Amino acid sequence: MRLADSPSSVDPDLRAVDGPPAAARGDLYRWQRNYRSALLLGDMFVVLASTLLAYQLRFGSTAHPVRGVSYVVISFSLVPVWLAVLACARAYEMRFLGVGEDEYKRVAVASWWLMAVISVIAYSFRIQFARGYVAIALPMGTFLLLVSRYGQRKWLHHRRKRGRCQHRVLAVGAVAAIEDFAAELAAEPYIGLRLVGVCMPNPDGKTRVADAPVVGSLTGVLNAIATCAADTVAVTTGPGMSPEVLRRLSWELEGTGVDLVVAPALLDAVGPRVTARPVTGLPFLHIEEPELSGPRQLLKAGIEWGFATVAFLFVAPVVLVLGLLVRLDSPGPAFFRQTRVGRRGNEFTVFKLRTMYADAETRLEALREHNDAVDSLLFKMRDDPRVTRVGRILRRWSLDELPQLWNVVRGDMALVGPRPPLPSEVANYDEEVARRLLVRPGITGLWQVSGRSDLSWKQSVRLDLYYVENWSLALDAMIVWKTVFAIFRRHGAY
């Protein structure tokens, strides 16, 4: 099953505004149907393969039936049941597909619910299922479902970066807010949102905003949706964007199949911590405090310490060999030690394999004018002459950071967290940026999987603050998973 990718698909330059909107909308829904079908077929294959493999591993060729029913029949029967549970968990709804953690959470939760239901049914009706079969089939199936979903998502991201498989967005709000919104969409094309039209409170003769046509005012949103064949309406901030306008707009969109999303600037930093809590009939938004301490932080620290300890023992021989190569390549110590600032401003010594010549610090001032990060407190230079031959290889594959596992074992750092800053950087932090120091810095983080050195200072700070405010064990797992692929992509590794 392949997504629509033919010359007749929606033109990236907003052809639907000048052409027939019905054709653009048909193409829009076609790729969505194809993608859902691809997910369904992939899930079906994964579940069937998992159950049959569990059967083979547990029984071989000598399986005993359960109340006269063969385990082969049970394996095939689990396929529609498992898929139905996934559908009930809304694991095939487009709003949860392609980006974010929700898709993976729904797949995992649905699969574990299936395991719980099977256990209850077996206990209630005294059905003697082979525990080994269930213990292999369900966990393995869940893992393979997540891997399959990830692979299909990366393929979707690849198409979206080429301008395909996009949701068509009509933005409603003021010019400045829409321009900021459009800039965010352009910076992250994998999200798959393409701005195809704009509605403003007072167009005042404007024809284009953020390279998208102005197709109406606040009173003509439905007509604007039809004009530009949008499937998503994004409401931003601006004069005239009152609760009454938003409520009326939500009523107008009922039954149209068009998604309504709200992107208010006030909620940019608090994201997942916002929950709706009706109080005396009023829909208040409650903003939870960031979880900077407590049981889950202790659990995170324990998991990371255990993982880092085992990993350090495994990579220690590799680090020693790499250290020898560093010494043979250029004079100086194999390891580089530097003072960094950790949680709550406490300084510690970070350990890395040396990737620069021993006199790198003394040559820094002479290179200041070549700083690629002009908007940053950092010094970045794509072709830094201070980097050794072996150092370039170590940086390209992030091997120079392996000794930082010892920092995690010591408790100075975490596996996942903000980038560990230098004291000279921290001295110039304002109150907002200083919130990066509320948690332990990490070997990897959102900055690592989102572009590394290619990020601007503003982007790096925004990602670090988002992590501090909204961290979770699921987010940590996703970052660790993405780090592996970020290393192989080598974007921003210099």
Side-chain angles (χ1 to χ4, degrees):
M1 182 64 65
R2 64 187 298 275
L3 306 188
D5 193 23
S6 64
S8 62
S9 60
V10 181
D11 187 88
D13 293 324
L14 315 179
R15 184 180 63 196
V17 174
D18 304 315
R25 187 175 293 277
D27 186 89
L28 174 69
Y29 291 144
R30 188 179 305 116
W31 81 255
Q32 294 185 23
R33 287 195 302 269
N34 289 347
Y35 186 66
R36 275 195 294 258
S37 298
L39 285 179
L40 185 63
L41 289 176
D43 292 350
M44 186 182 304
F45 173 79
V46 164
V47 171
L48 182 59
S50 301
T51 54
L52 291 179
L53 183 58
Y55 167 81
Q56 186 64 32
L57 292 175
R58 173 60 179 83
F59 301 110
S61 57
T62 58
H64 299 286
V66 178
R67 296 189 177 182
V69 180
S70 167
Y71 272 96
V72 174
V73 175
I74 293 174
S75 297
F76 277 93
S77 301
L78 267 177
V79 175
V81 174
W82 204 327
L83 296 180
V85 173
L86 289 171
C88 290
R90 304 168 72 184
Y92 296 104
E93 290 191 17
M94 286 306 304
R95 71 183 66 186
F96 303 122
L97 304 179
V99 292
E101 308 168 39
D102 271 342
E103 178 180 0
Y104 301 128
K105 285 182 178 179
R106 292 176 183 279
V107 170
V109 169
S111 300
W112 288 108
W113 268 108
L114 177 63
M115 181 181 294
V117 169
I118 290 175
S119 301
V120 170
I121 292 176
Y123 177 79
S124 301
F125 294 94
R126 300 182 183 275
I127 301 174
Q128 299 298 319
F129 279 118
R131 288 188 291 270
Y133 170 81
V134 176
I136 295 174
L138 293 179
M140 180 170 58
T142 302
F143 174 75
L144 293 179
L145 279 172
L146 295 173
V147 171
S148 173
R149 291 284 184 124
Y150 180 81
Q152 295 192 70
R153 173 180 289 197
K154 299 309 291 183
W155 188 77
L156 177 63
H157 289 177
H158 175 70
R159 289 294 183 212
R160 285 177 167 175
K161 289 175 182 178
R162 296 176 57 189
R164 308 294 183 182
C165 305
Q166 303 275 340
H167 291 284
R168 299 173 61 82
V169 180
L170 173 70
V172 180
V175 173
I178 292 175
E179 288 177 342
D180 289 342
F181 178 64
E184 291 291 337
L185 298 186
E188 300 178 335
Y190 70 90
I191 294 177
L193 299 178
R194 181 179 296 280
L195 189 61
V196 296
V198 170
C199 284
M200 302 164 53
N202 297 299
D204 292 332
K206 282 186 175 292
T207 58
R208 301 188 75 83
V209 173
D211 202 31
V214 177
V215 291
S217 63
L218 298 185
T219 59
V221 174
L222 286 183
N223 289 335
I225 291 171
T227 300
C228 58
D231 72 322
T232 302
V233 174
V235 179
T236 63
T237 57
M241 301 308 300
S242 63
E244 290 76 13
V245 171
L246 182 60
R247 184 164 56 246
R248 188 186 70 245
L249 182 57
S250 68
W251 293 341
E252 291 177 349
L253 295 180
E254 286 181 6
T256 64
V258 176
D259 286 335
L260 177 64
V261 297
V262 181
L266 289 177
L267 299 183
D268 180 61
V270 294
R273 294 189 292 119
V274 177
T275 56
R277 292 188 180 178
V279 179
T280 64
L282 298 177
F284 283 101
L285 293 180
H286 182 82
I287 301 177
E288 304 285 352
E289 289 188 11
E291 196 169 357
L292 304 176
S293 61
R296 289 208 314 151
Q297 277 282 3
L298 290 176
L299 178 61
K300 168 184 166 70
I303 292 174
E304 291 185 331
W305 184 88
F307 180 88
T309 301
V310 175
F312 182 78
L313 294 176
F314 273 100
V315 304
V318 177
V319 171
L320 292 177
V321 172
L322 293 176
L324 178 61
L325 293 177
V326 171
R327 289 292 303 272
L328 294 175
D329 181 55
S330 63
F335 294 95
F336 174 72
R337 297 173 176 83
Q338 191 176 49
T339 300
R340 297 293 181 101
V341 180
R343 187 181 184 189
R344 305 198 183 283
N346 295 319
E347 295 186 353
F348 68 96
T349 300
V350 70
F351 299 94
K352 300 178 70 175
L353 286 166
R354 181 172 58 84
T355 59
M356 290 186 173
Y357 291 101
D359 62 346
E361 291 298 321
T362 61
R363 297 165 59 185
L364 177 60
E365 289 303 321
L367 298 172
R368 287 287 184 188
E369 62 182 22
H370 302 291
N371 188 5
D372 292 328
V374 293
D375 65 337
S376 170
L377 300 178
L378 311 177
F379 178 84
K380 300 178 186 178
M381 189 173 178
R382 188 172 295 274
D383 296 311
D384 196 325
R386 301 174 300 160
V387 179
T388 64
R389 290 173 301 174
V390 170
R392 294 191 185 281
I393 298 174
L394 295 179
R395 288 190 172 198
R396 188 175 300 125
W397 297 100
S398 298
L399 297 174
D400 59 314
E401 298 177 2
L402 288 179
Q404 291 181 37
L405 288 170
W406 179 242
N407 286 113
V408 179
V409 175
R410 286 165 43 123
D412 302 323
M413 296 178 63
L415 285 179
V416 182
R419 187 189 66 83
L422 293 165
S424 58
E425 299 170 26
V426 175
N428 294 299
Y429 278 3
D430 58 26
E431 183 179 359
E432 178 184 8
V433 181
R435 290 187 63 82
R436 299 167 82 182
L437 305 178
L438 292 177
V439 299
R440 289 181 301 159
I443 297 178
T444 186
L446 283 175
W447 48 274
Q448 173 86 314
V449 300
S450 303
R452 302 162 84 174
S453 293
D454 287 339
L455 295 174
S456 68
W457 171 250
K458 182 178 179 181
Q459 290 172 321
S460 176
V461 170
R462 181 173 63 84
L463 290 172
D464 279 346
L465 292 181
Y466 179 90
Y467 178 81
V468 171
E469 304 281 351
N470 303 291
W471 81 272
S472 68
L473 295 176
L475 180 59
D476 281 4
M478 185 180 70
I479 291 173
V480 171
W481 175 265
K482 286 187 173 183
T483 299
V484 177
F485 296 92
I487 291 173
F488 281 98
R489 285 197 304 269
R490 295 175 289 175
H491 291 168
Y494 56 86

